[in-house]
Amino acid sequence: MTPGKSAARSAPVRTTGSALGPDHPSHRLVDSPYLRACRGERPSRVPVWFQRQAGRSLPEYRSLRREGSILDTIADPELSAEITMQPVRRYGVDAAILYSDIVVPLQAIGFGVDVVPGVGPVIDRPFETEADLDRLRPVEPDVDLAHVEATVRILVDELDVPLIGFAGAPFTLASYLVEGRPSRTYGRTKALMLDNPGLWHRLMDRLADLSVASIRSQVLAGASALQLFDSWAGALSPRDYAEFVLPHSRRIFNELSPLGVPMAHFGVGTGELLSMFAEAGATVVGIDWRIPLDEARRRTGGQVTLQGNLDPAVCLASWPTVARRVRRILQDNDGHPGHVFNLGHGVLPETDPDILRRVVELVHQEGPASNGD
Ligand code: CP3
């Protein structure tokens, strides 16, 4: 229970659950491999979980999932808790990720959003002008997100691994609000950002408040770690990221850090942004497969835990190929205690669940990393 004892570095967060009551699950799970690796302490084995581990790749998910919007499924705490647990049972992963979605807080404040199967988030009336800020009222989690808190409470009674709470980061949420749907270019988003920086920062401020409030409520309800998904921030140049996004990410982590739980920060294609991803205040940085772990460690300054970074598409290849790539990632990590094995983005729906089960088994067998500190 003495965080930091075996650590070769001092991460910003060295305690677990400092602001949380004595009954919070993070205390009971303080020595779990996932939480130890997040704190940079040597875990008993290399922990592994998969982004989008719950969902369409699992037949048991497809059979539970109702027709219609995923948001209706998320609104049912019993069902959402069961879906969260499905991959934990099947794969033996070291952490659970709450079954919810980044657009849930937007829906909860009545912004008018749905998630269309095969498409993604679609907005009824996209964000365009100053007047649209009024449609982004503060969220009251105990009222607006009571169903999410209820899901978390069911889960933490049943799980024996840490639960990760999450929210979308302001840039990624803004990209949906402004474009109205998934985009390849983020053209409208960037045009608004560059032409009207005042409005942009006010929009980002509102969205940052939404991220903080929803994540905090999940942690207070029992989540032991958090992840901020800035999935699409990699679309920005480092200069634009520094000016238009970083201040907001930094505020989010500042406001969440008193909770004392590990704080992960993930985006796709963020190789050129990684130093800022760490600088924003995260204690864990999630990376995609485009740069190797050793290079990512250099770019993040060696102070944070790294999460990643198997290409999800590799999991569609044959097992010997997958196994080779898994081993290569462990080699790139070179025995560093601060590594959480993961995919570089979400599980692809066509993935054979048995491949993922074998990945978990292999990562567990190969760890704890062989060559010491
Ligand atoms: O195991 C898990 O990760 C489940 C929880 C989860 C979901 N969405 C459920 C979901 C999480 C952590 C998310 C985050 C999320 N949602 C992100 C950030 C992570 C990332 O992938 O970059 C983003 C960008 C979204 C928005 C979103 N929601 C998209 C792009 C889609 C896919 C649309 C499609 O059908 O291809 C969704 C839908 C969604 N959210 C599904 C799941 C399991 C699949 C659709 C379904 O079951 O209807």
PDB file of all heavy atoms in Angstrom, residues 51-56 61 65 70 97-102 115-121 166 172 176 229 231-232 266 345, ligand 1:
ATOM      1  N   GLN A  51      -9.651  -1.459 -25.957  1.00  0.00           N
ATOM      2  CA  GLN A  51     -10.623  -0.411 -26.259  1.00  0.00           C
ATOM      3  C   GLN A  51     -11.728  -1.041 -27.102  1.00  0.00           C
ATOM      4  O   GLN A  51     -11.441  -1.825 -27.998  1.00  0.00           O
ATOM      5  CB  GLN A  51      -9.928   0.742 -26.976  1.00  0.00           C
ATOM      6  CG  GLN A  51      -8.784   1.300 -26.112  1.00  0.00           C
ATOM      7  CD  GLN A  51      -8.235   2.616 -26.599  1.00  0.00           C
ATOM      8  OE1 GLN A  51      -8.483   3.644 -25.996  1.00  0.00           O
ATOM      9  NE2 GLN A  51      -7.489   2.570 -27.670  1.00  0.00           N
ATOM     10  N   ARG A  52     -12.977  -0.717 -26.766  1.00  0.00           N
ATOM     11  CA  ARG A  52     -14.148  -1.326 -27.413  1.00  0.00           C
ATOM     12  C   ARG A  52     -14.194  -2.841 -27.217  1.00  0.00           C
ATOM     13  O   ARG A  52     -14.582  -3.580 -28.121  1.00  0.00           O
ATOM     14  CB  ARG A  52     -14.200  -1.005 -28.913  1.00  0.00           C
ATOM     15  CG  ARG A  52     -14.439   0.456 -29.221  1.00  0.00           C
ATOM     16  CD  ARG A  52     -15.918   0.779 -29.046  1.00  0.00           C
ATOM     17  NE  ARG A  52     -16.164   2.203 -29.275  1.00  0.00           N
ATOM     18  CZ  ARG A  52     -16.579   2.707 -30.418  1.00  0.00           C
ATOM     19  NH1 ARG A  52     -16.814   1.917 -31.438  1.00  0.00           N
ATOM     20  NH2 ARG A  52     -16.782   3.985 -30.524  1.00  0.00           N
ATOM     21  N   GLN A  53     -13.768  -3.278 -26.014  1.00  0.00           N
ATOM     22  CA  GLN A  53     -13.823  -4.725 -25.774  1.00  0.00           C
ATOM     23  C   GLN A  53     -15.259  -5.223 -25.677  1.00  0.00           C
ATOM     24  O   GLN A  53     -15.549  -6.382 -25.980  1.00  0.00           O
ATOM     25  CB  GLN A  53     -13.020  -5.104 -24.526  1.00  0.00           C
ATOM     26  CG  GLN A  53     -13.504  -4.510 -23.223  1.00  0.00           C
ATOM     27  CD  GLN A  53     -12.471  -4.676 -22.087  1.00  0.00           C
ATOM     28  OE1 GLN A  53     -11.335  -5.051 -22.318  1.00  0.00           O
ATOM     29  NE2 GLN A  53     -12.882  -4.417 -20.849  1.00  0.00           N
ATOM     30  N   ALA A  54     -16.158  -4.343 -25.225  1.00  0.00           N
ATOM     31  CA  ALA A  54     -17.572  -4.692 -25.260  1.00  0.00           C
ATOM     32  C   ALA A  54     -18.105  -4.263 -26.622  1.00  0.00           C
ATOM     33  O   ALA A  54     -17.677  -3.261 -27.162  1.00  0.00           O
ATOM     34  CB  ALA A  54     -18.313  -3.943 -24.155  1.00  0.00           C
ATOM     35  N   GLY A  55     -19.003  -5.028 -27.168  1.00  0.00           N
ATOM     36  CA  GLY A  55     -19.572  -4.570 -28.431  1.00  0.00           C
ATOM     37  C   GLY A  55     -19.676  -5.647 -29.480  1.00  0.00           C
ATOM     38  O   GLY A  55     -19.633  -6.840 -29.173  1.00  0.00           O
ATOM     39  N   ARG A  56     -19.765  -5.157 -30.710  1.00  0.00           N
ATOM     40  CA  ARG A  56     -20.234  -6.013 -31.788  1.00  0.00           C
ATOM     41  C   ARG A  56     -19.383  -7.227 -32.116  1.00  0.00           C
ATOM     42  O   ARG A  56     -19.858  -8.152 -32.766  1.00  0.00           O
ATOM     43  CB  ARG A  56     -20.427  -5.180 -33.062  1.00  0.00           C
ATOM     44  CG  ARG A  56     -21.682  -4.355 -33.005  1.00  0.00           C
ATOM     45  CD  ARG A  56     -21.732  -3.393 -34.147  1.00  0.00           C
ATOM     46  NE  ARG A  56     -20.586  -2.502 -34.103  1.00  0.00           N
ATOM     47  CZ  ARG A  56     -20.393  -1.484 -34.941  1.00  0.00           C
ATOM     48  NH1 ARG A  56     -21.255  -1.265 -35.890  1.00  0.00           N
ATOM     49  NH2 ARG A  56     -19.341  -0.715 -34.823  1.00  0.00           N
ATOM     50  N   TYR A  61     -22.942 -10.094 -27.006  1.00  0.00           N
ATOM     51  CA  TYR A  61     -23.411  -8.702 -27.075  1.00  0.00           C
ATOM     52  C   TYR A  61     -24.508  -8.588 -28.115  1.00  0.00           C
ATOM     53  O   TYR A  61     -25.575  -8.036 -27.852  1.00  0.00           O
ATOM     54  CB  TYR A  61     -22.254  -7.762 -27.443  1.00  0.00           C
ATOM     55  CG  TYR A  61     -22.700  -6.329 -27.715  1.00  0.00           C
ATOM     56  CD1 TYR A  61     -23.080  -5.497 -26.667  1.00  0.00           C
ATOM     57  CD2 TYR A  61     -22.740  -5.814 -29.008  1.00  0.00           C
ATOM     58  CE1 TYR A  61     -23.491  -4.181 -26.903  1.00  0.00           C
ATOM     59  CE2 TYR A  61     -23.152  -4.504 -29.252  1.00  0.00           C
ATOM     60  CZ  TYR A  61     -23.523  -3.692 -28.202  1.00  0.00           C
ATOM     61  OH  TYR A  61     -23.926  -2.399 -28.434  1.00  0.00           O
ATOM     62  N   ARG A  65     -28.141  -7.021 -27.303  1.00  0.00           N
ATOM     63  CA  ARG A  65     -28.342  -5.664 -27.792  1.00  0.00           C
ATOM     64  C   ARG A  65     -29.729  -5.537 -28.414  1.00  0.00           C
ATOM     65  O   ARG A  65     -30.098  -6.302 -29.296  1.00  0.00           O
ATOM     66  CB  ARG A  65     -27.244  -5.388 -28.828  1.00  0.00           C
ATOM     67  CG  ARG A  65     -27.377  -4.135 -29.635  1.00  0.00           C
ATOM     68  CD  ARG A  65     -26.772  -2.938 -28.962  1.00  0.00           C
ATOM     69  NE  ARG A  65     -26.602  -1.881 -29.950  1.00  0.00           N
ATOM     70  CZ  ARG A  65     -27.604  -1.113 -30.372  1.00  0.00           C
ATOM     71  NH1 ARG A  65     -28.816  -1.273 -29.878  1.00  0.00           N
ATOM     72  NH2 ARG A  65     -27.390  -0.191 -31.290  1.00  0.00           N
ATOM     73  N   ILE A  70     -28.284   2.570 -29.707  1.00  0.00           N
ATOM     74  CA  ILE A  70     -27.426   2.130 -28.604  1.00  0.00           C
ATOM     75  C   ILE A  70     -27.717   2.963 -27.356  1.00  0.00           C
ATOM     76  O   ILE A  70     -27.527   2.498 -26.232  1.00  0.00           O
ATOM     77  CB  ILE A  70     -25.932   2.223 -29.013  1.00  0.00           C
ATOM     78  CG1 ILE A  70     -25.028   1.610 -27.944  1.00  0.00           C
ATOM     79  CG2 ILE A  70     -25.506   3.663 -29.276  1.00  0.00           C
ATOM     80  CD1 ILE A  70     -23.558   1.591 -28.299  1.00  0.00           C
ATOM     81  N   ILE A  97     -14.198  -1.569 -19.050  1.00  0.00           N
ATOM     82  CA  ILE A  97     -14.545  -0.198 -19.448  1.00  0.00           C
ATOM     83  C   ILE A  97     -16.059  -0.092 -19.487  1.00  0.00           C
ATOM     84  O   ILE A  97     -16.744  -0.953 -20.047  1.00  0.00           O
ATOM     85  CB  ILE A  97     -13.897   0.213 -20.796  1.00  0.00           C
ATOM     86  CG1 ILE A  97     -14.336   1.625 -21.198  1.00  0.00           C
ATOM     87  CG2 ILE A  97     -14.204  -0.761 -21.912  1.00  0.00           C
ATOM     88  CD1 ILE A  97     -13.234   2.596 -21.406  1.00  0.00           C
ATOM     89  N   LEU A  98     -16.530   0.949 -18.836  1.00  0.00           N
ATOM     90  CA  LEU A  98     -17.970   1.179 -18.737  1.00  0.00           C
ATOM     91  C   LEU A  98     -18.618   1.142 -20.116  1.00  0.00           C
ATOM     92  O   LEU A  98     -18.142   1.792 -21.048  1.00  0.00           O
ATOM     93  CB  LEU A  98     -18.173   2.555 -18.093  1.00  0.00           C
ATOM     94  CG  LEU A  98     -19.621   3.017 -17.919  1.00  0.00           C
ATOM     95  CD1 LEU A  98     -20.324   2.149 -16.894  1.00  0.00           C
ATOM     96  CD2 LEU A  98     -19.641   4.479 -17.494  1.00  0.00           C
ATOM     97  N   TYR A  99     -19.701   0.415 -20.238  1.00  0.00           N
ATOM     98  CA  TYR A  99     -20.470   0.425 -21.482  1.00  0.00           C
ATOM     99  C   TYR A  99     -21.338   1.670 -21.500  1.00  0.00           C
ATOM    100  O   TYR A  99     -22.333   1.779 -20.775  1.00  0.00           O
ATOM    101  CB  TYR A  99     -21.330  -0.829 -21.592  1.00  0.00           C
ATOM    102  CG  TYR A  99     -22.174  -0.862 -22.838  1.00  0.00           C
ATOM    103  CD1 TYR A  99     -21.617  -1.189 -24.071  1.00  0.00           C
ATOM    104  CD2 TYR A  99     -23.525  -0.541 -22.794  1.00  0.00           C
ATOM    105  CE1 TYR A  99     -22.398  -1.193 -25.214  1.00  0.00           C
ATOM    106  CE2 TYR A  99     -24.300  -0.559 -23.936  1.00  0.00           C
ATOM    107  CZ  TYR A  99     -23.723  -0.882 -25.145  1.00  0.00           C
ATOM    108  OH  TYR A  99     -24.493  -0.880 -26.284  1.00  0.00           O
ATOM    109  N   SER A 100     -20.887   2.645 -22.282  1.00  0.00           N
ATOM    110  CA  SER A 100     -21.614   3.900 -22.452  1.00  0.00           C
ATOM    111  C   SER A 100     -21.118   4.479 -23.762  1.00  0.00           C
ATOM    112  O   SER A 100     -20.603   3.738 -24.600  1.00  0.00           O
ATOM    113  CB  SER A 100     -21.325   4.833 -21.268  1.00  0.00           C
ATOM    114  OG  SER A 100     -22.040   6.045 -21.399  1.00  0.00           O
ATOM    115  N   ASP A 101     -21.239   5.761 -23.986  1.00  0.00           N
ATOM    116  CA  ASP A 101     -20.697   6.359 -25.200  1.00  0.00           C
ATOM    117  C   ASP A 101     -20.336   7.810 -24.927  1.00  0.00           C
ATOM    118  O   ASP A 101     -20.892   8.431 -24.014  1.00  0.00           O
ATOM    119  CB  ASP A 101     -21.699   6.274 -26.362  1.00  0.00           C
ATOM    120  CG  ASP A 101     -21.010   6.500 -27.704  1.00  0.00           C
ATOM    121  OD1 ASP A 101     -20.463   5.537 -28.268  1.00  0.00           O
ATOM    122  OD2 ASP A 101     -20.974   7.651 -28.166  1.00  0.00           O
ATOM    123  N   ILE A 102     -19.425   8.346 -25.757  1.00  0.00           N
ATOM    124  CA  ILE A 102     -19.000   9.733 -25.528  1.00  0.00           C
ATOM    125  C   ILE A 102     -20.128  10.743 -25.747  1.00  0.00           C
ATOM    126  O   ILE A 102     -20.043  11.852 -25.262  1.00  0.00           O
ATOM    127  CB  ILE A 102     -17.768  10.121 -26.394  1.00  0.00           C
ATOM    128  CG1 ILE A 102     -18.070   9.984 -27.881  1.00  0.00           C
ATOM    129  CG2 ILE A 102     -16.551   9.284 -26.015  1.00  0.00           C
ATOM    130  CD1 ILE A 102     -17.006  10.641 -28.774  1.00  0.00           C
ATOM    131  N   VAL A 115     -26.881   7.788 -32.191  1.00  0.00           N
ATOM    132  CA  VAL A 115     -25.759   7.040 -32.739  1.00  0.00           C
ATOM    133  C   VAL A 115     -26.346   6.074 -33.757  1.00  0.00           C
ATOM    134  O   VAL A 115     -27.094   5.169 -33.407  1.00  0.00           O
ATOM    135  CB  VAL A 115     -24.988   6.279 -31.633  1.00  0.00           C
ATOM    136  CG1 VAL A 115     -23.811   5.521 -32.235  1.00  0.00           C
ATOM    137  CG2 VAL A 115     -24.500   7.245 -30.558  1.00  0.00           C
ATOM    138  N   VAL A 116     -26.048   6.312 -35.019  1.00  0.00           N
ATOM    139  CA  VAL A 116     -26.637   5.514 -36.093  1.00  0.00           C
ATOM    140  C   VAL A 116     -25.722   4.329 -36.390  1.00  0.00           C
ATOM    141  O   VAL A 116     -24.534   4.520 -36.667  1.00  0.00           O
ATOM    142  CB  VAL A 116     -26.832   6.380 -37.366  1.00  0.00           C
ATOM    143  CG1 VAL A 116     -27.384   5.544 -38.515  1.00  0.00           C
ATOM    144  CG2 VAL A 116     -27.739   7.568 -37.067  1.00  0.00           C
ATOM    145  N   PRO A 117     -26.286   3.100 -36.310  1.00  0.00           N
ATOM    146  CA  PRO A 117     -25.457   1.922 -36.553  1.00  0.00           C
ATOM    147  C   PRO A 117     -24.737   1.996 -37.900  1.00  0.00           C
ATOM    148  O   PRO A 117     -25.329   2.367 -38.908  1.00  0.00           O
ATOM    149  CB  PRO A 117     -26.462   0.762 -36.545  1.00  0.00           C
ATOM    150  CG  PRO A 117     -27.608   1.270 -35.715  1.00  0.00           C
ATOM    151  CD  PRO A 117     -27.671   2.753 -35.968  1.00  0.00           C
ATOM    152  N   GLY A 118     -23.451   1.688 -37.875  1.00  0.00           N
ATOM    153  CA  GLY A 118     -22.657   1.722 -39.097  1.00  0.00           C
ATOM    154  C   GLY A 118     -22.206   3.128 -39.503  1.00  0.00           C
ATOM    155  O   GLY A 118     -21.424   3.280 -40.431  1.00  0.00           O
ATOM    156  N   VAL A 119     -22.692   4.140 -38.815  1.00  0.00           N
ATOM    157  CA  VAL A 119     -22.319   5.532 -39.135  1.00  0.00           C
ATOM    158  C   VAL A 119     -21.591   6.150 -37.952  1.00  0.00           C
ATOM    159  O   VAL A 119     -20.417   6.524 -38.030  1.00  0.00           O
ATOM    160  CB  VAL A 119     -23.556   6.388 -39.496  1.00  0.00           C
ATOM    161  CG1 VAL A 119     -23.153   7.841 -39.764  1.00  0.00           C
ATOM    162  CG2 VAL A 119     -24.267   5.802 -40.710  1.00  0.00           C
ATOM    163  N   GLY A 120     -22.284   6.258 -36.828  1.00  0.00           N
ATOM    164  CA  GLY A 120     -21.726   6.925 -35.654  1.00  0.00           C
ATOM    165  C   GLY A 120     -22.646   8.041 -35.210  1.00  0.00           C
ATOM    166  O   GLY A 120     -23.814   8.085 -35.611  1.00  0.00           O
ATOM    167  N   PRO A 121     -22.130   8.959 -34.385  1.00  0.00           N
ATOM    168  CA  PRO A 121     -22.984  10.029 -33.854  1.00  0.00           C
ATOM    169  C   PRO A 121     -23.500  10.958 -34.959  1.00  0.00           C
ATOM    170  O   PRO A 121     -22.741  11.388 -35.818  1.00  0.00           O
ATOM    171  CB  PRO A 121     -22.033  10.790 -32.914  1.00  0.00           C
ATOM    172  CG  PRO A 121     -20.982   9.798 -32.544  1.00  0.00           C
ATOM    173  CD  PRO A 121     -20.795   8.955 -33.767  1.00  0.00           C
ATOM    174  N   PHE A 166     -15.151   7.057 -18.354  1.00  0.00           N
ATOM    175  CA  PHE A 166     -14.598   7.836 -19.475  1.00  0.00           C
ATOM    176  C   PHE A 166     -15.547   8.933 -19.931  1.00  0.00           C
ATOM    177  O   PHE A 166     -16.730   8.949 -19.598  1.00  0.00           O
ATOM    178  CB  PHE A 166     -14.263   6.922 -20.660  1.00  0.00           C
ATOM    179  CG  PHE A 166     -15.481   6.405 -21.391  1.00  0.00           C
ATOM    180  CD1 PHE A 166     -15.999   7.106 -22.481  1.00  0.00           C
ATOM    181  CD2 PHE A 166     -16.110   5.243 -20.997  1.00  0.00           C
ATOM    182  CE1 PHE A 166     -17.129   6.633 -23.161  1.00  0.00           C
ATOM    183  CE2 PHE A 166     -17.233   4.765 -21.669  1.00  0.00           C
ATOM    184  CZ  PHE A 166     -17.742   5.465 -22.749  1.00  0.00           C
ATOM    185  N   THR A 172     -12.939  16.249 -29.741  1.00  0.00           N
ATOM    186  CA  THR A 172     -13.627  15.127 -30.392  1.00  0.00           C
ATOM    187  C   THR A 172     -15.145  15.317 -30.346  1.00  0.00           C
ATOM    188  O   THR A 172     -15.841  15.082 -31.339  1.00  0.00           O
ATOM    189  CB  THR A 172     -13.157  13.801 -29.757  1.00  0.00           C
ATOM    190  OG1 THR A 172     -11.778  13.624 -30.099  1.00  0.00           O
ATOM    191  CG2 THR A 172     -13.956  12.608 -30.242  1.00  0.00           C
ATOM    192  N   TYR A 176     -18.045  16.307 -33.707  1.00  0.00           N
ATOM    193  CA  TYR A 176     -19.382  15.787 -34.036  1.00  0.00           C
ATOM    194  C   TYR A 176     -20.428  16.898 -34.017  1.00  0.00           C
ATOM    195  O   TYR A 176     -21.304  16.955 -34.885  1.00  0.00           O
ATOM    196  CB  TYR A 176     -19.789  14.674 -33.058  1.00  0.00           C
ATOM    197  CG  TYR A 176     -19.006  13.394 -33.261  1.00  0.00           C
ATOM    198  CD1 TYR A 176     -18.144  12.909 -32.278  1.00  0.00           C
ATOM    199  CD2 TYR A 176     -19.118  12.666 -34.440  1.00  0.00           C
ATOM    200  CE1 TYR A 176     -17.416  11.743 -32.460  1.00  0.00           C
ATOM    201  CE2 TYR A 176     -18.393  11.497 -34.634  1.00  0.00           C
ATOM    202  CZ  TYR A 176     -17.547  11.043 -33.648  1.00  0.00           C
ATOM    203  OH  TYR A 176     -16.826   9.889 -33.841  1.00  0.00           O
ATOM    204  N   PHE A 229     -11.178  10.387 -23.998  1.00  0.00           N
ATOM    205  CA  PHE A 229     -11.006  10.017 -25.406  1.00  0.00           C
ATOM    206  C   PHE A 229     -10.959  11.271 -26.263  1.00  0.00           C
ATOM    207  O   PHE A 229     -11.986  11.909 -26.485  1.00  0.00           O
ATOM    208  CB  PHE A 229     -12.189   9.164 -25.885  1.00  0.00           C
ATOM    209  CG  PHE A 229     -12.137   7.723 -25.449  1.00  0.00           C
ATOM    210  CD1 PHE A 229     -12.847   7.289 -24.340  1.00  0.00           C
ATOM    211  CD2 PHE A 229     -11.389   6.793 -26.172  1.00  0.00           C
ATOM    212  CE1 PHE A 229     -12.818   5.952 -23.953  1.00  0.00           C
ATOM    213  CE2 PHE A 229     -11.360   5.454 -25.786  1.00  0.00           C
ATOM    214  CZ  PHE A 229     -12.066   5.038 -24.683  1.00  0.00           C
ATOM    215  N   SER A 231     -10.195  11.110 -29.479  1.00  0.00           N
ATOM    216  CA  SER A 231      -9.907  10.200 -30.593  1.00  0.00           C
ATOM    217  C   SER A 231      -9.441  10.924 -31.847  1.00  0.00           C
ATOM    218  O   SER A 231      -8.563  10.436 -32.543  1.00  0.00           O
ATOM    219  CB  SER A 231     -11.149   9.373 -30.922  1.00  0.00           C
ATOM    220  OG  SER A 231     -11.522   8.639 -29.791  1.00  0.00           O
ATOM    221  N   TRP A 232     -10.021  12.095 -32.130  1.00  0.00           N
ATOM    222  CA  TRP A 232      -9.740  12.720 -33.438  1.00  0.00           C
ATOM    223  C   TRP A 232      -8.786  13.910 -33.353  1.00  0.00           C
ATOM    224  O   TRP A 232      -8.583  14.622 -34.335  1.00  0.00           O
ATOM    225  CB  TRP A 232     -11.052  13.112 -34.131  1.00  0.00           C
ATOM    226  CG  TRP A 232     -12.085  12.024 -34.082  1.00  0.00           C
ATOM    227  CD1 TRP A 232     -13.397  12.166 -33.749  1.00  0.00           C
ATOM    228  CD2 TRP A 232     -11.910  10.620 -34.377  1.00  0.00           C
ATOM    229  NE1 TRP A 232     -14.047  10.951 -33.802  1.00  0.00           N
ATOM    230  CE2 TRP A 232     -13.154   9.987 -34.174  1.00  0.00           C
ATOM    231  CE3 TRP A 232     -10.832   9.827 -34.776  1.00  0.00           C
ATOM    232  CZ2 TRP A 232     -13.345   8.602 -34.358  1.00  0.00           C
ATOM    233  CZ3 TRP A 232     -11.017   8.454 -34.948  1.00  0.00           C
ATOM    234  CH2 TRP A 232     -12.253   7.867 -34.749  1.00  0.00           C
ATOM    235  N   PHE A 266      -6.234   9.466 -24.529  1.00  0.00           N
ATOM    236  CA  PHE A 266      -6.042   8.683 -25.754  1.00  0.00           C
ATOM    237  C   PHE A 266      -6.484   9.441 -27.001  1.00  0.00           C
ATOM    238  O   PHE A 266      -7.484  10.146 -26.986  1.00  0.00           O
ATOM    239  CB  PHE A 266      -6.840   7.363 -25.661  1.00  0.00           C
ATOM    240  CG  PHE A 266      -6.882   6.632 -26.972  1.00  0.00           C
ATOM    241  CD1 PHE A 266      -5.802   5.864 -27.389  1.00  0.00           C
ATOM    242  CD2 PHE A 266      -7.985   6.752 -27.814  1.00  0.00           C
ATOM    243  CE1 PHE A 266      -5.821   5.225 -28.637  1.00  0.00           C
ATOM    244  CE2 PHE A 266      -8.012   6.114 -29.053  1.00  0.00           C
ATOM    245  CZ  PHE A 266      -6.925   5.349 -29.452  1.00  0.00           C
ATOM    246  N   HIS A 345      -6.428   1.225 -31.191  1.00  0.00           N
ATOM    247  CA  HIS A 345      -7.764   1.835 -31.283  1.00  0.00           C
ATOM    248  C   HIS A 345      -8.750   0.723 -30.956  1.00  0.00           C
ATOM    249  O   HIS A 345      -8.341  -0.306 -30.417  1.00  0.00           O
ATOM    250  CB  HIS A 345      -7.983   2.460 -32.664  1.00  0.00           C
ATOM    251  CG  HIS A 345      -9.087   3.487 -32.687  1.00  0.00           C
ATOM    252  ND1 HIS A 345      -9.550   4.063 -33.840  1.00  0.00           N
ATOM    253  CD2 HIS A 345      -9.827   4.043 -31.681  1.00  0.00           C
ATOM    254  CE1 HIS A 345     -10.512   4.936 -33.558  1.00  0.00           C
ATOM    255  NE2 HIS A 345     -10.696   4.931 -32.254  1.00  0.00           N
TER     256      HIS A 345
HETATM  257  O1  CP3 B   1     -15.928  -1.623 -24.655  1.00  0.00           O
HETATM  258  C1  CP3 B   1     -16.178  -0.433 -24.931  1.00  0.00           C
HETATM  259  O2  CP3 B   1     -15.278   0.380 -25.207  1.00  0.00           O
HETATM  260  C2  CP3 B   1     -17.617  -0.003 -24.895  1.00  0.00           C
HETATM  261  C3  CP3 B   1     -17.895   1.374 -24.436  1.00  0.00           C
HETATM  262  C4  CP3 B   1     -17.735   2.461 -25.502  1.00  0.00           C
HETATM  263  C5  CP3 B   1     -18.632   2.679 -26.605  1.00  0.00           C
HETATM  264  N1  CP3 B   1     -18.254   3.823 -27.222  1.00  0.00           N
HETATM  265  C6  CP3 B   1     -19.806   1.849 -26.954  1.00  0.00           C
HETATM  266  C7  CP3 B   1     -20.209   1.785 -28.385  1.00  0.00           C
HETATM  267  C8  CP3 B   1     -16.771   3.461 -25.548  1.00  0.00           C
HETATM  268  C9  CP3 B   1     -15.556   3.635 -24.627  1.00  0.00           C
HETATM  269  C10 CP3 B   1     -17.109   4.327 -26.629  1.00  0.00           C
HETATM  270  C11 CP3 B   1     -16.356   5.551 -26.929  1.00  0.00           C
HETATM  271  C12 CP3 B   1     -16.590   6.247 -28.204  1.00  0.00           C
HETATM  272  N2  CP3 B   1     -17.764   6.437 -28.877  1.00  0.00           N
HETATM  273  C13 CP3 B   1     -15.572   6.944 -28.900  1.00  0.00           C
HETATM  274  C14 CP3 B   1     -14.130   7.058 -28.443  1.00  0.00           C
HETATM  275  C15 CP3 B   1     -13.383   5.799 -28.719  1.00  0.00           C
HETATM  276  C16 CP3 B   1     -12.992   5.591 -30.152  1.00  0.00           C
HETATM  277  O3  CP3 B   1     -13.434   4.582 -30.721  1.00  0.00           O
HETATM  278  O4  CP3 B   1     -12.241   6.414 -30.682  1.00  0.00           O
HETATM  279  C17 CP3 B   1     -16.162   7.508 -30.051  1.00  0.00           C
HETATM  280  C18 CP3 B   1     -15.450   8.307 -31.109  1.00  0.00           C
HETATM  281  C19 CP3 B   1     -17.553   7.176 -30.014  1.00  0.00           C
HETATM  282  C20 CP3 B   1     -18.611   7.565 -30.983  1.00  0.00           C
HETATM  283  C21 CP3 B   1     -19.193   6.342 -31.624  1.00  0.00           C
HETATM  284  N3  CP3 B   1     -20.138   5.525 -31.027  1.00  0.00           N
HETATM  285  C22 CP3 B   1     -18.839   5.741 -32.857  1.00  0.00           C
HETATM  286  C23 CP3 B   1     -17.836   6.308 -33.842  1.00  0.00           C
HETATM  287  C24 CP3 B   1     -19.587   4.553 -32.985  1.00  0.00           C
HETATM  288  C25 CP3 B   1     -19.516   3.498 -34.090  1.00  0.00           C
HETATM  289  C26 CP3 B   1     -20.648   3.567 -35.046  1.00  0.00           C
HETATM  290  C27 CP3 B   1     -20.775   2.275 -35.836  1.00  0.00           C
HETATM  291  O5  CP3 B   1     -21.844   1.662 -35.754  1.00  0.00           O
HETATM  292  O6  CP3 B   1     -19.803   1.883 -36.502  1.00  0.00           O
HETATM  293  C28 CP3 B   1     -20.383   4.432 -31.826  1.00  0.00           C
HETATM  294  C29 CP3 B   1     -21.303   3.317 -31.512  1.00  0.00           C
HETATM  295  C30 CP3 B   1     -20.877   2.422 -30.421  1.00  0.00           C
HETATM  296  N4  CP3 B   1     -20.497   2.862 -29.173  1.00  0.00           N
HETATM  297  C31 CP3 B   1     -20.837   0.991 -30.434  1.00  0.00           C
HETATM  298  C32 CP3 B   1     -20.435   0.598 -29.160  1.00  0.00           C
HETATM  299  C33 CP3 B   1     -20.299  -0.806 -28.635  1.00  0.00           C
HETATM  300  C34 CP3 B   1     -21.192   0.072 -31.616  1.00  0.00           C
HETATM  301  C35 CP3 B   1     -22.558   0.240 -32.135  1.00  0.00           C
HETATM  302  C36 CP3 B   1     -23.706  -0.523 -31.503  1.00  0.00           C
HETATM  303  O7  CP3 B   1     -23.611  -1.495 -30.711  1.00  0.00           O
HETATM  304  O8  CP3 B   1     -24.825  -0.119 -31.879  1.00  0.00           O
END
